[in-house]
Amino acid sequence: MEMMKVSSNSIPSKVAGALTSLLRDNSKVQIQVIGAASLNQAMKAIAISRGYVAASGKEIYCIPSFYDLTIDNQVVTSIRLNIEIHEKDFSF
């Protein structure tokens, strides 16, 4: 599974383009963020990417989880967003 790191300075439309491209090749991508501003940029990118793939009859699913990292000998909690792309299921 490919991993992307999104920061608070990331441009959502550019992240969305990269995410969409990776999803077309892999069907699963992981985004890692640290902090609320980074999470905000990542969620915007996911929403934009969802619009890109919707025309092809597919849907993006996002499954969040916490992950502890060690940075400079300190434990930092990050959020990992597991993104998957599937065919839309129209049955209810």
Side-chain angles (χ1 to χ4, degrees):
M1 181 180 330
E2 293 286 328
M3 178 185 282
M4 299 175 63
K5 295 180 182 178
V6 175
S7 76
S8 59
N9 297 323
S10 296
I11 300 168
S13 59
K14 290 188 178 190
V15 174
L19 175 60
T20 303
S21 178
L22 286 172
L23 284 171
R24 287 187 176 136
D25 293 340
N26 301 298
S27 78
K28 292 183 182 183
V29 176
Q30 192 171 72
I31 296 176
Q32 181 171 286
V33 300
I34 299 173
S38 300
L39 180 60
N40 182 50
Q41 298 304 85
M43 294 308 293
K44 288 180 200 175
I46 292 167
I48 294 166
S49 181
R50 182 174 182 243
Y52 292 160
V53 302
S56 63
K58 298 189 178 189
E59 185 64 80
I60 290 179
Y61 296 90
C62 176
I63 304 163
S65 61
F66 292 106
Y67 185 79
D68 287 336
L69 299 169
T70 303
I71 301 174
D72 296 330
N73 294 323
Q74 292 186 355
V75 177
V76 177
T77 301
S78 69
I79 294 179
R80 286 193 173 170
L81 305 168
N82 291 314
I83 313 298
E84 299 180 7
I85 188 168
H86 296 280
E87 296 292 328
K88 283 187 180 178
D89 181 12
F90 292 104
S91 61
F92 290 95

